[in-house]
Amino acid sequence: MKPLNIGMIGYGFMGRTHSNGYRQANRFFDLEYQPVLKAVCARNEEKAKAFAEQQGYESIETDWRKLIARDDIDAVDVCTPNNLHKEISIAAAEAGKMVLCEKPLAMSVAEGIEMCEAVEKAGVANMVWYNYRRVPAVTLAKQLIDEGRLGKVFHYRANFLQDWTINADVPQGGAATWRLDAEAAGSGVTGDLLAHCIDTALWLNGDIEDVSAMTETFVKERVHAETGAKQPVTIDDACMFHCHFKNGSLGLFESTRYARGHKALYTLEVNGENASLRWDLHDLHRLEYFDHGDDSIVRGWRSVHVSDGDQPYMGNWWVPGLQIGYEHTFIHQVADFLKSLETGEPAHPNFRDALETQKVCDAVLASAKERCWKNI
Ligand code: SOE
């Protein structure tokens, strides 16, 4: 097997999910490349050491520029807050490294364009971690749609609901709560959660033509986690938009961190002329499917337990009937990336694909701000 030396920048929750993916992919998939956890970089040396020990990295760096400059690093994984994605990704590409960037690609479309140009100019493999495409049930939805089973699509709707910021005492900024700080995150739920829904929607249902959105910031001031200073909150706490897809269907999207009782509920539903399907992250190995072509006396919503060897990714997981979990989506994404290095076919979503999601996010935020429709 050919080693692929990984340099991880960042050490949060996503750093853990990706590291697990690198460690596991070769245990389930037959691949030419084998990730090697070479180095992790964090500004805080103690934290970098603790992460390296827990996840199995061979060495640490405290300056990401040093990690990128190392000859023994093949691929850089950008797992930092969003405001560093651009600088690090471009520097890594210019140093000839492959780049795997956490979502959303960038803080804005303008940044995203620069990032695409950098990886394309350098000719390096690149990918963005929109992991929900790799849930076998969601991949099966893609397969059913591509086979034409739904026929003409009329409606696409998706929600991503959480409740972790309802308490006004939750600070913003800092290592744990940077997602609430516009300077580090760029936006609130639009970039953090709706971006997932948009990525999946573009993949399943094609391009979006235009959007009309509204956002709300429910808690107007928060204390900064590091300085203790009270600051205005400038992210979107909730966002809803509707849209026209280029295939003629209508889209409806909602995301919030103020839906009491929902911790991370991502649901989607697609209604076509001949069939419908729906999926729910809390029951992630099931795809609900309604086929109007069924005999009318038994017609109804089927609950397809996606754990059979014939279904996407499932041939590689132990025995049929034993379902998988959230963390495996990252293993699948690593496996697909490694396979792409073998075949030379780009892994998706790459930076260009993620730029399309960024365009929708930017248009959604602009539409909400200006209270008007925006073309993509
Ligand atoms: C936020 O809470 C978060 O962790 C996102 O950043 C992830 O992208 C999403 O998959 C789950 O929620």
Side-chain angles (χ1 to χ4, degrees), residues 194-205:
L194 274 180
H196 279 302
C197 304
I198 296 165
D199 173 71
T200 321
L202 297 180
W203 189 52
L204 294 181
N205 199 36

Side-chain angles (χ1 to χ4, degrees), residues 200-259:
T200 321
L202 297 180
W203 189 52
L204 294 181
N205 199 36
D207 289 344
I208 291 174
E209 182 117 39
D210 55 8
V211 297
S212 171
M214 61 184 195
T215 57
E216 186 54 71
T217 305
F218 295 114
V219 172
K220 310 286 185 205
E221 279 191 326
R222 290 186 189 270
V223 164
H224 193 276
E226 280 163 359
T227 65
K230 244 194 176 173
Q231 297 177 326
V233 176
T234 55
I235 55 152
D236 43 306
D237 285 338
C239 179
M240 294 177 199
F241 76 92
H242 56 175
C243 65
H244 294 100
F245 281 88
K246 286 198 175 146
N247 65 6
S249 59
L250 302 181
L252 186 59
F253 294 76
E254 183 192 7
S255 185
T256 179
R257 293 178 179 141
Y258 287 72

Side-chain angles (χ1 to χ4, degrees), residues 13-14 102-103 132 160 162 164 179 192-193 196 326:
F13 152 55
M14 279 301 144
E102 183 43 40
K103 49 57 61 175
Y132 295 108
F160 207 136
Q162 298 187 332
W164 61 283
R179 284 179 175 79
D192 191 38
L193 303 177
H196 279 302
Y326 166 79

Side-chain angles (χ1 to χ4, degrees), residues 108-334:
S108 65
V109 171
E111 280 196 7
I113 290 172
E114 282 186 62
M115 294 166 77
C116 287
E117 287 172 354
V119 290
E120 286 163 8
K121 188 170 167 215
V124 293
N126 55 93
M127 188 178 69
V128 178
W129 291 93
Y130 281 113
N131 60 302
Y132 295 108
R133 291 186 183 202
R134 264 75 185 188
V135 176
V138 176
T139 313
L140 180 60
K142 167 82 173 153
Q143 187 182 317
L144 299 181
I145 291 170
D146 287 354
E147 285 171 8
R149 292 182 189 234
L150 272 67
K152 184 173 168 44
V153 172
F154 298 119
H155 294 284
Y156 189 105
R157 63 186 76 79
N159 288 325
F160 207 136
L161 312 178
Q162 298 187 332
D163 73 354
W164 61 283
T165 63
I166 293 180
N167 185 343
D169 293 337
V170 174
Q172 64 181 5
T177 44
W178 62 265
R179 284 179 175 79
L180 274 66
D181 180 3
E183 277 192 20
S187 68
V189 293
T190 302
D192 191 38
L193 303 177
L194 274 180
H196 279 302
C197 304
I198 296 165
D199 173 71
T200 321
L202 297 180
W203 189 52
L204 294 181
N205 199 36
D207 289 344
I208 291 174
E209 182 117 39
D210 55 8
V211 297
S212 171
M214 61 184 195
T215 57
E216 186 54 71
T217 305
F218 295 114
V219 172
K220 310 286 185 205
E221 279 191 326
R222 290 186 189 270
V223 164
H224 193 276
E226 280 163 359
T227 65
K230 244 194 176 173
Q231 297 177 326
V233 176
T234 55
I235 55 152
D236 43 306
D237 285 338
C239 179
M240 294 177 199
F241 76 92
H242 56 175
C243 65
H244 294 100
F245 281 88
K246 286 198 175 146
N247 65 6
S249 59
L250 302 181
L252 186 59
F253 294 76
E254 183 192 7
S255 185
T256 179
R257 293 178 179 141
Y258 287 72
R260 181 61 87 202
H262 292 300
K263 305 301 168 190
L265 181 69
Y266 176 10
T267 54
L268 65 86
E269 178 162 335
V270 194
N271 306 126
E273 188 179 1
N274 305 324
S276 287
L277 49 84
R278 65 181 178 223
W279 172 79
D280 172 346
L281 174 58
H282 286 185
D283 204 2
L284 88 172
H285 48 272
R286 281 187 190 279
L287 187 67
E288 306 279 325
Y289 180 65
F290 179 95
D291 190 338
H292 189 66
D294 286 347
D295 186 339
S296 62
I297 59 164
V298 289
R299 190 187 293 146
W301 282 91
R302 303 178 206 174
S303 176
V304 183
H305 188 229
V306 185
S307 61
D308 193 273
D310 291 341
Q311 291 163 329
Y313 295 106
M314 295 315 296
N316 299 80
W317 290 93
W318 296 296
V319 292
L322 303 182
Q323 72 253 6
I324 62 145
Y326 166 79
E327 71 277 21
H328 298 122
T329 61
F330 298 92
I331 301 173
H332 296 158
Q333 189 146 3
V334 170

